[in-house]
Amino acid sequence: GIKMIIGLLPMAGNSAGVLEWASRCLHNLVFSYEDDNHEHAILSQNIESIEEVGGIAALVEAMSDHISEYDAMLWSIKLLWRMFGGDTSSIATRRLTVMRRAVIIRKLVHAGFVGVGQKILERHKSGELQLLTAALMAVVILGSGKESNIIKFAVLNETMSRCVPVLIQGMSQLPDDRDMQAAGCTFLAALSTVGGDMPEFLLENEAMDAISSAMIKFEDDTTIVEAGAWGLWKLSAGWKSSDTAYHLENSTIVQALGVLGGLVIKHDEEQFHKSLNGFAVNVCGR
């Protein structure tokens, strides 16, 4: 049955309905409401079957023909998350799970998912689809492993030069949209680790201010504050080690320090202490 459904994807070029139907069907085959070993064994077998018949490449190619179709894109992205065996209800859980899925990440890279994801983010500027897409792109970037040269240099810079301004603008225009802020923080935090000219590019586009503002607005949102704290720390590290003397506004530094300090006081967790200390050392050490 799985092979037959995958075989229909090349026909989806003329119909977004075919893509949505196929994605929904495949998603149901790799989704479980039960937490037992037998159920998970079946799901793992189904995931492997989708991989073996070229399902990932076929899905990404079909997605590229229907970027504007929200429902088709949403179910396709949900299916890709399920291919990792992750839970789309928790980004923190997904992050830990998908880092072990190097094979899936490699296939997504080769299938051109980063470019398709960029187009989705440009087209759909809020809501669940944007959040899941930005988070999945972040995971692909962070977990690229041996594919890092492909992603970080050949594809990433060109793609992100268009994605970053769109996301930051969306965060500014929709400050009360939790999904928008979570998508932005998750994505920007991932990019902050890339190195090269990326940290400076992010700072020039006011990524640090965008992250800090989101963390202030949604201080109780685990996804936003965890990704944000990490992103602020890594951006400051990139700024400190940069060969160019990019000017960082004092107001930006003060706001970020205040946000991180507030997290330490409120939550007193090790990860926030590390982010605050790292950020302080970086901004004071240049």
Side-chain angles (χ1 to χ4, degrees), residues 78-194:
K78 283 186 174 183
L79 170 59
L80 288 175
W81 270 120
R82 293 305 307 164
M83 291 295 294
F84 285 116
D87 181 353
T88 57
S89 66
S90 169
I91 289 179
T93 301
R94 289 200 307 269
R95 185 184 303 148
L96 294 174
T97 303
V98 300
M99 288 306 178
R100 300 191 295 268
R101 305 292 182 172
V103 173
I104 302 292
I105 290 174
R106 185 164 60 249
K107 289 184 177 182
L108 283 171
V109 173
H110 289 167
F113 171 74
V114 173
V116 171
Q118 169 240 316
K119 292 177 182 177
I120 293 174
L121 292 180
E122 289 180 333
R123 176 70 181 184
H124 305 282
K125 295 182 171 58
S126 65
E128 183 182 13
L129 174 58
Q130 186 186 57
L131 172 58
L132 293 177
T133 302
L136 184 54
M137 290 180 71
V139 165
V140 172
I141 294 166
L142 290 173
S144 57
K146 293 181 179 180
E147 306 301 322
S148 60
N149 288 338
I150 296 175
I151 286 191
K152 294 180 180 178
F153 300 108
V155 177
L156 185 63
N157 290 333
E158 179 182 355
T159 300
M160 300 317 142
S161 66
R162 294 191 292 269
C163 281
V164 168
V166 169
L167 275 176
I168 292 178
Q169 182 181 22
M171 294 173 75
S172 175
Q173 293 176 344
L174 300 169
D176 297 322
D177 188 324
R178 186 182 298 268
D179 284 347
M180 175 74 249
Q181 303 304 317
C185 285
T186 302
F187 192 57
L188 295 174
L191 289 183
S192 68
T193 68
V194 170

Side-chain angles (χ1 to χ4, degrees), residues 217-234:
K217 181 72 175 180
F218 297 101
E219 61 181 357
D220 293 320
D221 188 292
T222 302
T223 295
I224 291 174
V225 297
E226 287 185 356
W230 187 41
L232 291 176
W233 177 19
K234 295 304 179 181

